[in-house]
């Protein structure tokens, strides 16, 4: 199995925890090779990551120097989410060896808690990627030039057919899309991936990418808040929450992440148990650095009735946010 991460020093601890969890849930594999797209990881942290990988003979690691999107295109790109370093994964087919035919791409903030052999063997039905259907409404699709019912996916866990990616010139199409939008794309690199690969997606079982909103909201609350198009059934989401295979600690205005003080995610203790297997086990948790407006809005959510709060949040998320982006653009 070939696994790809992309990280800088800010997320290297989270990546280390993710790799420790990967190591514990891939015992069925003869060999697991990890490729890390390095967007600025110092030597000490690389040594720490290698110490996690080298604990198992079947694991190995290769460091890949990231490609700077701004230099590649001579264009500034917007950071609608995360950091500009995330754009480096758009060059994934150029960075990994030509012999690599299939890749499991993982964000640093994922935790593998059950065996993933079935995910690795998942058929793509001649599609280029497998991914989680994301809970976004029609207005986001409009901003990306997608049809109203087009699939949108979360790019934190992607099973990629690298041969088809190369043969269909996906990298060229991704870069062309960025240039055509003058570097300003809703959701940044994830938005670019959605715009180009929406019609080449095989939807995966949500158990393989159980994102935070699945735990923060009930199914009906999630529909009210996000107003998703062509989303999973309630039964599928409930199964993902009860027995996830990969947990994705995505950012949420309602909760902190497991490396931050005050995290109330139901799997925070599991994340911390895997961190105890890494060189970062004695690190103190980080302070919550959310913008004051987010903290204020979270406080409001605690004092007004939840149905009213969700109705307001749904308007802001599904309609106002994409409208503001379109007006700014």
């Amino acid at each position: 199995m070939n696994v790809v991460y992309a990280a800088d020093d800010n997320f290297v601890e989270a990546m280390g925890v993710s790799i420790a969890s990967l190591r514990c849930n891939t015992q069925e594999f003869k060999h697991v090779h990890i490729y890390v797209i390095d967007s600025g990881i110092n030597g000490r942290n690389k040594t720490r990551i290698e110490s996690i990988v080298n604990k198992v003979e079947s694991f190995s690691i290769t460091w890949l120097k990231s490609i700077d999107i701004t230099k590649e295109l001579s264009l500034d790109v917007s950071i609608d989410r995360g950091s500009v370093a995330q754009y480096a994964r758009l060059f994934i087919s150029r960075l990994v060896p030509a012999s690599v035919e299939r890749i499991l791409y993982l964000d640093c903030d994922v935790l593998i808690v059950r065996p993933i052999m079935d995910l690795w063997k998942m058929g793509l039905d001649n599609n280029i990627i497998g991914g989680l259907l994301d809970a976004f409404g029609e207005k986001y699709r409009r901003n990306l030039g997608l049809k109203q019912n087009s699939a949108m996916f979360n790019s934190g866990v992607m099973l990629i057919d690298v041969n088809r990616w190369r043969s269909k010139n996906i990298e060229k199409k991704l870069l062309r899309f960025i240039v055509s939008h003058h570097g300003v794309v809703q959701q940044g690199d994830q938005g670019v991936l959605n715009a180009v690969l929406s019609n080449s997606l095989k939807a995966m079982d949500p158990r393989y990418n159980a994102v935070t909103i699945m735990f923060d909201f009930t199914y009906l609350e999630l529909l009210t808040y996000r107003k998703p198009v062509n989303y999973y059934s309630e039964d599928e989401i409930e199964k993902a929450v009860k027995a996830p295979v990969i947990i994705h600690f995505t950012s949420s205005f309602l909760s902190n992440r497991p490396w931050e003080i005050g995290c109330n995610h139901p799997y925070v203790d599991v994340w911390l148990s895997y961190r105890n297997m890494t060189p970062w086990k004695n690190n103190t948790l980080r302070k919550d650095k959310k913008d004051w407006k987010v903290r204020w809005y979270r406080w409001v959510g605690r004092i007004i009735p939840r149905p009213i709060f969700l109705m307001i949040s749904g308007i802001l998320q599904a309609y106002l946010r994409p409208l503001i982006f379109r007006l700014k653009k």
Side-chain angles (χ1 to χ4, degrees), residues 1-7 15-24 26 31-38 41 49-64 95-97 100 102-108 112 116 120:
M1 180 170 66
N2 302 298
V3 179
V4 176
Y5 289 93
M15 181 176 70
V17 177
S18 183
I19 292 174
S21 71
L22 179 72
R23 192 186 66 200
C24 293
T26 49
H31 186 237
V32 176
H33 194 91
I34 297 173
Y35 296 92
V36 178
I37 302 174
D38 172 15
I41 302 174
I49 292 295
E50 289 168 357
S51 72
I52 300 170
V53 172
N54 294 336
K55 286 184 177 180
V56 181
E57 288 186 7
S58 59
F59 266 56
S60 56
I61 187 169
T62 298
W63 299 95
L64 305 172
L95 292 171
V96 300
V100 173
R102 172 175 278 222
I103 283 171
L104 178 61
Y105 171 84
L106 298 174
D107 270 357
C108 296
I112 299 89
I116 56 172
W120 178 247

Side-chain angles (χ1 to χ4, degrees), residues 4 6 37 39 64-75 77 84-97 103 105 158 160 162 165-166 170-176 178-179 189 192-193:
V4 176
I37 302 174
S39 292
L64 305 172
K65 184 174 176 55
S66 69
I67 296 173
D68 188 328
I69 187 76
T70 59
K71 293 180 180 178
E72 181 78 11
L73 298 179
S74 299
L75 177 72
V77 295
V84 72
Q86 290 178 284
Y87 280 89
R89 61 186 176 160
L90 304 187
F91 303 98
I92 202 164
S93 64
R94 190 195 309 186
L95 292 171
V96 300
I103 283 171
Y105 171 84
M158 294 186 292
I160 303 173
V162 188
W165 183 294
R166 293 184 177 117
I170 296 303
E171 180 186 307
K172 183 177 181 179
K173 292 175 182 177
L174 294 168
L175 300 183
R176 187 188 301 154
I178 295 171
V179 172
D189 61 307
V192 177
L193 288 164

